[in-house]
Amino acid sequence: MSAEKEIGAMSTISSALDDLDSDARIRVLQWAMSHYGFTSSGLKSSQAPGPSLNSADTSKPGQHTTFAELFDAAQPNTEREKAMVAAYWLQVCESSENFQSQSLNDLLKNLGHGIGNITEALNQLKNDRPALLLQLKKSGSSRQARKTYKLTLEGSKRVDAMIQGDVTES
């Protein structure tokens, strides 16, 4: 591709994003990245490191190019399932090592499925045995302090099963 075409594409993108607010720009750029097979790290989905899925699974991280497609495939029924699917998107599909609860709820709100108390949903996932989610750290001393989480392998398997239609909420 010539440099002129690249500059033209950048100019078009810039013009399209100029009239949007910050949140809308993020959603558009996230959509574009996933649409063209890139993760937030800039790697193609096929190059991105992440938990490997069982070879028997027909669902692969790159199969769902948007969070909406993954959410529709998993069909979560409860708030904790919704939070777990959003965590799966960030960790497996977007190759994030960890995430904060606000990131999960932002994804869900954009689909119209926001959770009233995301911390309670995440605490339920943490308290399951085996744990479906781990809290890695807490920044600050208040109850509203920012917490960083990671989906466990068991949590990832549970979402894989939801996508396959093999599991119901326990």
Side-chain angles (χ1 to χ4, degrees):
M1 175 182 261
S2 73
E4 292 166 356
K5 284 186 177 181
E6 287 182 37
I7 292 170
M10 288 181 221
S11 176
T12 301
I13 290 168
S14 178
S15 296
L17 296 178
D18 280 344
D19 295 333
L20 301 176
D21 65 30
S22 179
D23 289 340
R25 285 180 187 147
I26 290 169
R27 287 190 299 273
V28 169
L29 291 172
Q30 286 174 334
W31 171 86
M33 293 284 287
S34 65
H35 179 76
Y36 290 101
F38 292 91
T39 65
S40 58
S41 66
L43 297 173
K44 280 280 207 176
S45 294
S46 60
Q47 299 170 328
S52 62
L53 302 175
N54 295 335
S55 58
D57 288 343
T58 58
S59 173
K60 306 225 177 347
Q63 178 179 354
H64 304 288
T65 58
T66 66
F67 176 60
E69 291 172 332
L70 173 67
F71 191 88
D72 183 59
Q75 297 182 357
N77 295 313
T78 64
E79 289 189 340
R80 55 185 259 134
E81 283 184 341
K82 291 175 184 179
M84 193 166 44
V85 170
Y88 182 95
W89 173 259
L90 290 175
Q91 190 169 314
V92 176
C93 300
E94 290 290 311
S95 300
S96 296
E97 287 188 32
N98 52 56
F99 50 84
Q100 293 185 342
S101 58
Q102 184 65 45
S103 302
L104 302 180
N105 219 13
D106 287 347
L107 282 170
L108 293 164
K109 284 178 185 177
N110 286 337
L111 292 184
H113 294 281
I115 295 177
N117 189 339
I118 188 73
T119 302
E120 179 58 32
L122 296 177
N123 283 339
Q124 290 174 12
L125 295 170
K126 262 182 13 182
N127 294 333
D128 273 0
R129 293 295 168 244
L132 303 175
L133 185 86
L134 299 174
Q135 179 179 322
L136 301 178
K137 69 180 179 178
K138 179 179 175 181
S139 303
S141 58
S142 70
R143 281 186 49 170
Q144 291 80 23
R146 299 284 179 179
K147 297 175 184 170
T148 303
Y149 299 94
K150 180 175 181 141
L151 193 65
T152 65
L153 182 58
E154 187 62 33
S156 181
K157 288 179 186 177
R158 186 77 56 97
V159 175
D160 289 338
M162 289 170 64
I163 293 166
Q164 299 302 321
D166 294 341
V167 97
T168 57
E169 179 66 19
S170 54

